[in-house]
Amino acid sequence: MRDPLAALGVLPGVAESVESVRKAVDRVYGHRVMRRRSNEVTSEAALRAARGSAALSGADWALEEVRRRSDFSGDDEARVVGAALRLTAEAGQLLSIWRQSPLRVLARLHLVAAAGQEDAVGRPRQAGEEVGEPLIELPPPSADEVSGRLEGLSELLIAGSSAPALVTAAVVHGELLALRPFVSRNGLIARAAERIVLVGSGLDPKSVCPAEVGHAELGRAAYLAALDGYVSGTPEGMAAWIAHCARAVELGARESTAVCEALQRGAA
């Protein structure tokens, strides 16, 4: 049976991206702080991941503001940050279900992200329902196309692939952004799904390399330009998207290395 994900792994430059990510992840896991205080690093990475994901969805708050707040029910920015925090917390609970039913996990992620704010919660959008994702200007596919492509993605994931985890994570992320399968919070969900793949694959089992941090640091313009490459479906475009996701993971790993250094100095 043909493995389309594995085919992406041999695109020009992808092997180099995979190797660079592996080295960045290994540096974090090799830090002496990870031997005894990995739970603290994981917690801090989750907070920074949520902040980064929210920033890409239009709520660019300072990290200390996210850390300080307890009420996220105010304006839309606050609700975006709250949704990002809930998704980051929920993602780690869904790894075993993801391996058996990715679509069930995606529905759960939307339920958590939307928190009952819409009627169409926890299911892909239907014909005639609009997509509330103003920061992504690409025309959304039809509900029928969304359904077919989600099923195809699910089948690929359940069947398994010899592709590197980075490639699978990038494809899941890109496909969900391209499809925008729900009426809201698709960007947050796509980045949470990327996190699930990176953790569940064993590349980042302790979830200490938050790609969301890197995506935010690279900026929304670069993020959307790379997504255009994914949507194009060309080998060059796909390779550019995978490279962008790789760089985001590397930057997330760098962030957690800095957290480890701060913990070692007693400054965090």
Side-chain angles (χ1 to χ4, degrees), residues 61-93:
W61 287 15
L63 180 63
E64 290 311 311
E65 177 66 9
V66 178
R67 198 190 304 277
R68 181 186 68 81
R69 280 283 193 106
S70 59
D71 180 9
F72 297 95
S73 61
D75 58 17
D76 189 56
E77 281 198 8
R79 288 191 291 272
V80 168
V81 175
L85 287 166
R86 291 192 300 274
L87 283 173
T88 303
E90 186 76 9
Q93 311 302 315

Side-chain angles (χ1 to χ4, degrees), residues 27-265:
R27 278 194 293 273
V28 179
Y29 279 83
H31 198 285
R32 65 172 60 186
V33 166
M34 289 292 293
R35 297 174 196 165
R36 291 180 294 178
R37 304 180 71 178
S38 63
N39 288 342
E40 294 174 66
V41 181
T42 296
S43 296
E44 187 64 22
L47 184 72
R48 295 177 186 225
R51 194 218 72 82
S53 192
L56 285 170
S57 286
D60 192 0
W61 287 15
L63 180 63
E64 290 311 311
E65 177 66 9
V66 178
R67 198 190 304 277
R68 181 186 68 81
R69 280 283 193 106
S70 59
D71 180 9
F72 297 95
S73 61
D75 58 17
D76 189 56
E77 281 198 8
R79 288 191 291 272
V80 168
V81 175
L85 287 166
R86 291 192 300 274
L87 283 173
T88 303
E90 186 76 9
Q93 311 302 315
L94 299 172
L95 296 174
S96 61
I97 303 172
W98 177 265
R99 298 184 185 101
Q100 301 169 2
S101 180
L103 297 186
R104 182 179 164 195
V105 169
L106 293 175
R108 173 62 185 170
L109 291 176
H110 187 244
L111 189 68
V112 169
Q117 293 169 13
E118 296 98 5
D119 292 332
V121 171
R123 63 160 175 80
R125 56 187 168 84
Q126 299 174 356
E129 291 179 334
E130 296 185 359
V131 179
E133 206 74 35
L135 300 178
I136 299 178
E137 297 179 354
L138 294 169
S142 69
D144 285 344
E145 183 178 351
V146 167
S147 178
R149 285 173 63 174
L150 279 180
E151 285 292 342
L153 180 64
S154 177
E155 289 170 5
L156 276 177
L157 294 170
I158 292 171
S161 172
S162 61
L166 170 69
V167 172
T168 303
V171 168
V172 168
H173 186 170
E175 190 70 357
L176 293 175
L177 282 181
L179 292 178
R180 279 146 291 159
F182 302 102
V183 297
S184 65
R185 308 299 191 217
N186 290 287
L188 296 176
I189 291 167
R191 292 183 287 276
E194 180 185 47
R195 165 182 285 266
I196 289 172
V197 175
L198 292 172
V199 173
S201 67
L203 177 63
D204 180 21
K206 294 183 183 293
S207 195
V208 295
C209 301
E212 301 93 328
V213 169
H215 286 302
E217 185 172 337
L218 291 168
R220 190 180 301 146
Y223 186 64
L224 296 178
L227 176 61
D228 284 342
Y230 178 87
V231 172
S232 76
T234 65
E236 297 80 9
M238 296 294 287
W241 170 251
I242 294 168
H244 184 87
C245 291
R247 183 58 181 151
V249 176
E250 290 176 37
L251 291 171
R254 187 182 71 179
E255 184 89 352
S256 284
T257 299
V259 169
C260 287
E261 292 293 330
L263 288 169
Q264 186 167 282
R265 293 192 306 269

Side-chain angles (χ1 to χ4, degrees), residues 7-26:
L8 294 176
V10 299
L11 289 174
V14 170
E16 290 82 355
S17 292
V18 169
E19 180 61 21
S20 183
V21 164
R22 169 53 66 190
K23 289 179 179 178
V25 172
D26 285 348

